[in-house]
Amino acid sequence: MHGQSSSTTQHARSAGAGDIPDLARLSTGIPGLDEVLNGGLVKGNTYLISGPPGTGKTTLANQIAFHHVRQDGTAVIATTLAASLGKMLAHLRGFTFFEPSLIAERVHCVSLYDELSTGGLDAVLDMVRRLLREHRATLLVVDGARLFGDVAASPIDFRRFAQELNTQSTALGCTTLLLADYAGEDERPVGTHVDGTITLEEQSLDLRDVRLLRVKKIRGVSHLRGRHAYEITHQGLQVYPRLETIVPPVLPEQPGAGRRLSTGIGGLDVMLHGGLMAGSSTLVYGAPGAGKTLTGLHFLAAGTAHGEGGLLASFRERHGTLKRKAEAAGLAIEPHIDAGRLQILWHSPYETTIDVWARALLERIDQHRPRRLFVDSADDIVHLTLHPQRHSDFLTALLHHLQARGVTSMFSAVASTLVGGAVEMPVTMVSAVGENAILLRYVELHSQLRRFASIVKVRESSYDTAIREFVITNRGIEIADTSRTTESVWTGAGRRDVTTEPETAGAEAQPGETGNRM
Amino acid sequence: MVVDDEPDIRDIVAAVLEDEGYSVVVASNGQQALEMLPAERPDLVVLDVMMPRMDGRELLRRMGEHPELARLPVIVMSAAARVDRVDSGAPKIAAFVAKPFDLEFMLGTIEQIVKREAPHDTR
């Protein structure tokens, strides 16, 4: 519409079945929201932004408004509440999207309180129409829209008003956002007369509060369905579409697909009959300190040694600790980190949601194109996924995204049993990201805790089924070259295999063994 | 005169025309419009096509039977993809406007037609 540059107008992507082609779009400028909306708001449509107080409705709408006017649009921000505009503007000053110089120039703030209290809904329609025409507005935000329903003489009057407001805005080429603190079914009377409904909500999970955005209804176009996490920072809202709803990119097959990759641990490569298949995923699980992280560092270092980029996504240990751990095992990762070949992405395992991490991870992968990824650990992913029914779906979707990008991945996971007894296999993780599964565990042998490795599964390949002892030395993980070390190790309390002499390498402590738990 | 069975469309078109200083009468279908036209004698008819009782096509045909009504300029609003499918009949079809329409564009069209058709200021 008036004065709006083509840069603010996008067109519906053809991905969704049933889309009406060439619907002009208005970018929200909110990271992730256009993705959920499959291209942005439909120009000239009316949307209900619904949610309890404090969920960020006003922030969301103003963020869209300031983005819109920066793209040469003009916005009218109206409120039904007395004397709230000044306070609203004061609250917005803390956000980076807020620009005071745009107020009254491109963003026109008005109160509808007098019209509503003296002339009712008809007076509001007249006022809004005049404002839109006077300012040649292309975006209208009405805060406190719930009040319209409260002052309507009857439900029919309210529905008529909502319909007329929608028609009026559409006819004037203006996209409209109605903000209301409805909860659940309350929004139905107005919800039927808008073109789209976006709800903001907070869910309490144990002691945590999680913000979730949901596009409940949108006419004419498909969207990413379900609830998506969002966060509010000083930059405003950022939406993180649920990973499962995003179709992985179709990229050309990476060179070397289908070849074997060294794990960086010679004995393990032997057990795997030549290494891991490029593009596969491997779960390394075992007791705390058994050597999972070090296995991952070997895996990454083996790649960087051949010029392959690597990414270590850690929820626990940070750069310094990882560097020391690698150095103690003879793995010089620092030059590769300095050169950018090895990236470390640390993310807090607390007070966030998994889609925030997934977005950061995939952006880092798209930016640096690593060929190998080690995630430490899958347990943290499960912890941040919050909803148990989502664990498997998320991990599976993550693997699809990684494979689409040609990434060979390895995930660590903690086994519940430290020593002895049965080791419970993390079935969800194994089925989702464990095309290959490696178990590292302790065994008590002659009053010593010894480490043993075994291959539990390898997809579409043969492997050594033996349980082999390994040690951690200043040369890293070294696996014995024979399995005839002990017997009955699976029970956790092994006996020396007295039929085999001499003892195999690794059965006794090797020179330089650190004894550190990795 | 604005003729449309949808009250919200009828009201917004009428309201914007009144904002611009026009005198506006409204009718909710072709039958009601036909009854009002001889007495109201508007300078222009803004006409929807699909309406109950008497639709826009029939109203155009019936207007064509009256020499004075047949000379009235008409703007036809239609949600049909191809508005030229409307049988124009006798009255002069001054313009077609596809629904959903741009109100400012319609207003500009109305202004041009009124100026062209009426030598004096009709406001």
Side-chain angles (χ1 to χ4, degrees):
Chain A
M1 271 306 295
H2 315 295
Q4 183 167 331
S5 73
S6 59
S7 63
T8 61
T9 303
Q10 301 176 356
H11 291 276
R13 288 180 283 167
S14 58
D19 282 6
I20 297 172
D22 298 330
L23 282 176
R25 298 304 190 94
L26 184 149
S27 169
T28 64
I30 294 178
L33 183 54
D34 285 355
E35 201 173 344
V36 171
L37 292 166
N38 195 15
L41 301 169
V42 175
K43 252 180 73 178
N45 276 6
T46 296
Y47 295 85
L48 175 66
I49 314 294
S50 176
T55 48
K57 300 182 296 297
T58 303
T59 305
L60 177 142
N62 279 280
Q63 193 176 347
I64 294 172
F66 276 89
H67 173 75
H68 181 62
V69 302
R70 284 187 171 95
Q71 309 296 314
D72 291 337
T74 304
V76 168
I77 295 175
T79 179
T80 62
L81 308 173
S84 65
L85 276 170
K87 192 177 277 186
M88 180 192 80
L89 292 174
H91 290 160
L92 292 175
R93 286 181 184 276
F95 292 105
T96 54
F97 63 75
F98 182 76
E99 175 51 60
S101 67
L102 294 172
I103 300 293
E105 293 295 324
R106 308 304 296 263
V107 178
H108 304 276
C109 301
V110 293
S111 172
L112 298 175
Y113 180 79
D114 287 342
E115 279 67 26
L116 191 59
S117 56
T118 59
L121 298 179
D122 286 343
V124 168
L125 283 173
D126 284 345
M127 176 74 164
V128 168
R129 185 180 69 254
R130 292 189 180 116
L131 283 168
L132 298 185
R133 298 194 65 210
E134 177 187 345
H135 298 298
R136 304 180 78 79
T138 45
L139 180 70
L140 168 67
V141 175
V142 182
D143 206 348
R146 182 172 187 155
L147 205 55
F148 296 141
D150 295 339
V151 302
S154 69
I156 291 177
D157 279 353
F158 179 48
R159 286 169 182 263
R160 180 189 61 79
F161 166 79
Q163 179 62 36
E164 289 198 11
L165 185 65
N166 186 349
T167 304
Q168 184 171 274
S169 298
T170 302
L172 292 169
C174 186
T175 308
T176 300
L177 306 177
L178 303 176
L179 316 187
D181 56 353
Y182 289 117
E185 295 296 296
D186 292 352
E187 70 192 30
R188 286 183 66 181
V190 66
T192 55
H193 295 285
V194 295
D195 303 299
T197 301
I198 299 171
T199 61
L200 304 179
E201 62 182 279
E202 270 194 2
Q203 282 187 1
S204 288
L205 298 164
D206 298 326
L207 298 179
R208 300 177 54 185
D209 289 334
V210 181
R211 296 181 190 272
L212 297 169
L213 176 146
R214 180 186 179 198
V215 177
K216 287 174 71 174
K217 159 190 170 180
I218 186 165
R219 285 181 179 144
V221 291
S222 61
H223 64 276
L224 301 185
R225 297 174 64 83
R227 290 174 170 83
H228 308 276
Y230 71 96
E231 291 188 337
I232 303 176
T233 68
H234 69 286
Q235 294 178 310
L237 270 81
Q238 169 136 11
V239 181
Y240 298 91
R242 222 160 11 95
L243 187 68
E244 302 93 299
T245 63
I246 303 169
V247 179
V250 179
L251 299 173
E253 192 172 62
Q254 296 295 326
R259 70 187 167 99
R260 298 276 186 165
L261 301 180
S262 170
T263 62
I265 303 170
L268 190 56
D269 289 345
V270 171
M271 293 171 76
L272 289 163
H273 290 179
L276 297 168
M277 197 70 78
S280 68
S281 65
T282 302
L283 190 72
V284 180
Y285 68 107
K292 301 181 296 297
T293 304
L294 189 54
T295 302
L297 288 169
H298 271 288
F299 169 67
L300 293 175
T304 53
H306 293 91
E308 287 182 347
L311 173 59
L312 200 171
S314 173
F315 291 97
R316 301 284 167 170
E317 293 159 307
R318 288 178 180 262
H319 184 161
T321 311
L322 291 164
K323 180 187 160 194
R324 286 191 291 278
K325 181 171 283 189
E327 283 178 349
L331 300 170
I333 62 172
E334 197 66 12
H336 297 296
I337 293 173
D338 292 344
R341 272 190 299 280
L342 180 56
Q343 298 273 319
I344 295 178
L345 175 69
W346 184 86
H347 202 282
S348 168
Y350 313 112
E351 297 299 324
T352 186
T353 55
I354 196 60
D355 296 298
V356 177
W357 173 79
R359 173 57 58 110
L361 179 82
L362 295 179
E363 282 180 356
R364 186 70 72 93
I365 289 173
D366 290 341
Q367 189 178 356
H368 292 280
R369 301 281 176 196
R371 302 268 53 86
R372 297 181 183 217
L373 166 70
F374 176 56
V375 179
D376 197 14
S377 68
D379 302 287
D380 296 301
I381 292 178
V382 167
H383 172 70
L384 289 175
T385 309
L386 300 179
H387 299 88
Q389 65 272 28
R390 207 189 155 197
H391 295 165
S392 177
D393 288 350
F394 177 86
L395 287 168
T396 303
L398 176 62
L399 183 61
H400 290 162
H401 279 271
L402 296 175
Q403 290 179 331
R405 291 166 169 84
V407 174
T408 307
S409 57
M410 181 177 281
F411 297 77
S412 69
V414 176
S416 55
T417 307
L418 184 65
V419 180
V423 176
E424 190 175 332
M425 179 184 278
V427 175
T428 299
M429 295 179 195
V430 171
S431 65
V433 295
E435 291 177 327
N436 319 309
I438 299 168
L439 172 61
L440 307 180
R441 67 172 311 191
Y442 291 108
V443 171
E444 182 186 348
L445 190 66
H446 298 300
S447 301
Q448 285 187 315
L449 278 184
R450 311 278 276 267
R451 294 182 174 96
F452 284 80
S454 57
I455 310 293
V456 178
K457 64 177 276 203
V458 176
R459 188 174 179 185
E460 295 173 0
S461 174
S462 62
Y463 59 91
D464 183 354
T465 56
I467 302 167
R468 296 191 184 222
E469 185 169 8
F470 70 93
V471 292
I472 298 173
T473 74
N474 55 14
R475 296 184 299 278
I477 292 176
E478 295 183 337
I479 294 183
D481 59 4
T482 173
S483 62
R484 305 291 305 273
T485 306
T486 57
E487 59 180 12
S488 303
V489 294
W490 213 234
T491 65
R495 294 195 311 274
R496 185 179 304 284
D497 182 356
V498 295
T499 63
T500 306
E501 292 296 342
E503 287 181 348
T504 55
E508 299 294 339
Q510 297 296 299
E513 181 172 8
T514 63
N516 291 336
R517 291 186 171 179
M518 295 288 176
Chain B
M1 176 181 282
V2 179
V3 189
D4 199 314
D5 61 319
E6 292 181 79
D8 51 331
I9 302 272
R10 195 172 63 222
D11 290 351
I12 177 65
V13 174
V16 170
L17 286 169
E18 285 174 348
D19 286 347
E20 295 298 311
Y22 293 101
S23 296
V24 184
V25 291
V26 297
S28 58
N29 58 62
Q31 180 65 47
Q32 189 182 16
L34 194 62
E35 291 167 6
M36 293 170 63
L37 277 168
E40 296 291 347
R41 297 290 182 92
D43 297 307
L44 176 75
V45 177
V46 179
L47 177 64
D48 187 26
V49 175
M50 290 182 287
M51 292 182 292
R53 297 187 184 169
M54 182 185 293
D55 66 14
R57 295 168 195 268
E58 179 62 13
L59 177 61
L60 285 167
R61 196 184 66 75
R62 300 284 283 273
M63 286 171 69
E65 295 171 358
H66 295 267
E68 290 186 7
L69 298 182
R71 289 200 296 272
L72 277 177
V74 177
I75 292 180
V76 173
M77 301 185 290
S78 174
R82 288 175 56 83
V83 291
D84 55 356
R85 285 180 182 169
V86 176
D87 179 11
S88 61
K92 184 189 299 179
I93 305 297
F96 288 103
V97 177
K99 284 184 174 179
F101 51 80
D102 177 341
L103 204 48
E104 297 293 349
F105 173 76
M106 177 187 275
L107 201 58
T109 306
I110 290 172
E111 198 164 344
Q112 285 179 9
I113 293 167
V114 169
K115 278 182 181 169
R116 194 169 64 218
E117 298 292 328
H120 56 279
D121 189 355
T122 57
R123 296 187 189 187

